[in-house]
DNA sequence: AAACAATGTTAGGTTTCCTTACACGGTTGT
DNA sequence: ACAACCGTGTAAGGAAACCTAACATTGTTT
């Protein structure tokens, strides 16, 4: 594993994109983008001055949201889904961590 | 090969970052960032309104430039290096392309 | 019918960015 | 030595981009 790669892979999560660019990338209106934030579907960072900054992951998320809304799903339901997914993901992570600890004590030694 | 990965890998090249964020990411002043552009070391896109937009690759490039300048290298020399590197890279690409064409005619068939 | 959902639009204000120009101390070339 | 250049700071004035709040509209629930 190369160290500089730790950066590259985090490009996707870095919050560096303005709403104007997000609008270009997604085809959504600024109104829509802000509204989905109001409905707690998306969580941009803010500059000290108060401007929103999004990540590429946020942009992908927005596209998914827009698709669901086009399919008639309401923001409230989308939010419920997100919460469900997050719980599931957290449980996975927890299981993995426990497994890691078990391996550390009883698993194959590395040295 | 998964299609959605074609996107992920291009995050690095997409010009989506404002100069203010670049300043934060690199620690350089806006003056420096613009000056390196004036010296043809960096080539941001522009929005229709004229604002600069950088990629993560540009940000990395800027850090390299700043390091060289700290080492006393002049922008002119850095530019020469860049041109040399680009020529080398293009030659590589050309060689690879020729090789690809040879393979297509005489190499192992895929079907 | 009243309430809510999703979106557009407008208004007024703030932040961020732009170019141009001058200053200045250090380096280079003649 | 002195003119020219290098890299950077800073200031001014203006334009672009962003912000919130509010009201309007058209559907959809309740």
């Amino acid at each position: 594993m190369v160290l500089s790669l730790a950066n590259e892979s985090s490009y996707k999560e870095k919050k560096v994109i303005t709403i104007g660019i997000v609008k270009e990338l997604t085809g959504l209106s600024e109104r829509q983008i802000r509204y989905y934030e109001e409905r707690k579907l998306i969580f941009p960072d803010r500059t000290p001055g108060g401007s929103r900054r999004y990540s590429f992951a946020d942009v992908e998320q927005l596209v998914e949201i827009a698709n669901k809304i086009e399919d008639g799903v309401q923001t409230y339901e989308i939010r419920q889904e997100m919460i469900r997914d997050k719980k599931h993901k957290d449980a996975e992570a927890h299981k993995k961590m426990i497994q890691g600890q078990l391996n550390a004590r009883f698993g194959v030694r590395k040295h």
Side-chain angles (χ1 to χ4, degrees), chain A residues 7 46 77 92 95 103 111:
Chain A
N7 281 323
R46 297 282 184 139
E77 305 173 53
E92 285 295 310
K95 210 169 83 185
N103 278 342
H111 49 114

Side-chain angles (χ1 to χ4, degrees), chain A residues 33-83:
Chain A
I33 298 167
R34 296 203 186 98
Y35 179 67
Y36 300 154
E37 178 182 356
E38 190 183 319
R39 303 314 307 270
K40 299 192 192 309
L41 300 180
I42 199 84
F43 307 93
D45 276 2
R46 297 282 184 139
T47 62
S51 292
R52 277 167 259 251
R53 290 296 127 98
Y54 302 85
S55 68
F56 282 111
D58 290 334
V59 171
E60 288 187 8
Q61 178 80 21
L62 278 169
V63 171
E64 279 185 44
I65 292 169
N67 285 335
K68 285 180 185 165
I69 285 192
E70 257 190 314
D71 292 350
V73 186
Q74 289 188 193
T75 55
Y76 178 77
E77 305 173 53
I78 298 175
R79 173 137 174 74
Q80 298 308 310
E81 281 178 39
M82 279 178 51
I83 292 171

